[in-house]
Amino acid sequence: MKTVIFDLDGTLADTSGDLIAAANACFAALGHGAMLDMQADQATAFAGGRAMLRLGFTRLGMADIEARIDAQFPLLLEHYGENIDRHTRLYDGAEAAVQRLLDADYRVGICTNKPEGLAENLMQRLGMLDMFGALIGADTLPVRKPDPAPYVETVQRAGGNVARSVLIGDTVTDRETARAAGVPSVLVTFGPTGRDVAGLQPEALLDHYDDLFGVVEGLLA
């Protein structure tokens, strides 16, 4: 069974606004201003909560940054969970593209480094959770991407075959996950780094979800 596995943040949905807002809420509670910019720091947002906190504390010139990150990270997740879909939007054509795969008897799943509970909550709010046969988050298994185990588990839970699967993502983490699993990767170009992802040498690039079915068919033919 042909299978397509999607990353979430920066791939299916632009979640950067709510992620950055959660990080800035932490800095505001500490008496600082908004340390991250909604536009300029999108790429850091897609690298995760710890990356955003690290950037903010670095800009403040603070010592013991890792300890401060450890202290603030649970608060960031709490704020994010309470405000998970204020700014987040699906990328244009994403839902229709997934539906076209389902109509063609593909298996589809999500493999993300977002905590599983948050990922499920977000996809439910976006109205797409029931479309996916499996969802693996950062805390579902003892390891996370770029270890290939979460990807393999996602394919298997979705009812697919790793040998006939492809990963859709947006970062070097997704590229390395696909390489480790021995499957092709497709990197989207509508994220904050644009077509610079071509430098990661994926098997294909995706400029718009309208093109997804043709790209995947070509790779799995």
Side-chain angles (χ1 to χ4, degrees):
M1 186 66 68
K2 295 179 182 178
T3 306
V4 179
I5 303 300
F6 295 83
D7 175 51
L8 202 171
D9 299 82
T11 299
L12 282 171
D14 182 353
T15 57
S16 61
D18 290 314
L19 290 166
I20 289 172
N24 281 337
C26 292
F27 292 115
L30 293 172
H32 308 294
M35 299 307 302
L36 277 73
D37 182 85
M38 286 287 190
Q39 297 300 319
D41 294 321
Q42 285 185 350
T44 301
F46 292 141
R50 292 182 179 275
M52 291 187 296
L53 291 170
R54 186 172 294 109
L55 177 60
F57 283 127
T58 299
R59 287 173 174 170
L60 288 167
M62 290 188 165
D64 300 321
I65 287 179
E66 295 306 314
R68 295 177 187 274
I69 292 172
D70 289 341
Q72 291 299 314
F73 188 63
L75 302 177
L76 184 153
L77 291 180
E78 180 179 356
H79 186 279
Y80 180 64
E82 293 172 353
N83 304 274
I84 199 167
D85 63 343
R86 291 195 177 187
H87 304 288
T88 293
R89 298 291 182 271
L90 290 168
Y91 285 114
D92 188 38
E95 185 172 1
V98 174
Q99 186 60 56
R100 186 174 183 189
L101 291 171
L102 292 172
D103 291 343
D105 293 326
Y106 275 76
R107 296 290 188 262
V108 295
I110 294 174
C111 184
T112 174
N113 277 349
K114 183 189 289 295
E116 181 181 337
L118 290 176
E120 287 186 348
N121 183 24
L122 178 57
M123 294 309 296
Q124 182 68 52
R125 288 172 177 256
L126 294 174
M128 288 187 67
L129 181 61
D130 291 343
M131 299 178 76
F132 294 92
L135 187 155
I136 298 292
D139 52 355
T140 307
L141 303 180
V143 294
R144 61 197 298 184
K145 297 186 297 184
D147 191 292
Y151 177 84
V152 172
E153 183 72 11
T154 309
V155 174
Q156 292 175 344
R157 290 192 187 186
N161 182 340
V162 173
R164 302 197 73 197
S165 70
V166 59
L167 173 60
I168 315 299
D170 69 307
T171 67
V172 64
T173 299
D174 298 309
R175 177 69 185 98
E176 292 304 316
T177 301
R179 181 179 285 118
V183 302
S185 63
V186 178
L187 298 185
V188 303
T189 63
F190 37 79
T193 58
R195 294 188 67 85
D196 287 349
V197 294
L200 299 175
Q201 299 182 318
E203 279 67 32
L205 298 173
L206 184 68
D207 295 324
H208 193 281
Y209 269 112
D210 288 351
D211 303 323
L212 179 65
F213 188 79
V215 169
V216 168
E217 280 280 281
L219 291 172
L220 297 181

